Amino acid sequence: MRDECLNEHLFLSLAAARRIIEAWRTDNSTVRPHSRLGSMAPAEFTNRLRPGQMEAGTHLSVA
């Protein structure tokens, strides 16, 4: 977050900081691919799960 968001923006107000950080967080949590998810975006990864895979104690592996 620091390298990709905080170091890249100049926050002129608290409201602007909140808006920019929320936009980055949303992008990072839904759109941007993650290597730990097999280079899929979190939203795509979640949509591919079968029912019951997110139950407590279930371990997912990415091929």
Side-chain angles (χ1 to χ4, degrees):
M1 179 179 192
R2 179 172 299 280
D3 289 341
E4 297 174 10
C5 182
L6 301 178
N7 289 344
E8 297 294 322
H9 294 90
L10 177 62
F11 303 108
L12 300 177
S13 69
L14 183 56
R18 286 180 175 152
R19 194 171 47 254
I20 291 167
I21 291 168
E22 179 61 18
W24 180 89
R25 188 195 65 76
T26 300
D27 180 65
N28 189 63
S29 298
T30 58
V31 178
R32 184 175 300 177
H34 292 257
S35 60
R36 299 281 297 192
L37 301 177
S39 295
M40 285 189 281
E44 178 185 7
F45 182 79
T46 301
N47 290 335
R48 289 185 179 206
L49 294 177
R50 291 186 307 274
Q53 278 187 306
M54 289 302 290
E55 294 174 4
T58 301
H59 297 283
L60 300 175
S61 61
V62 177

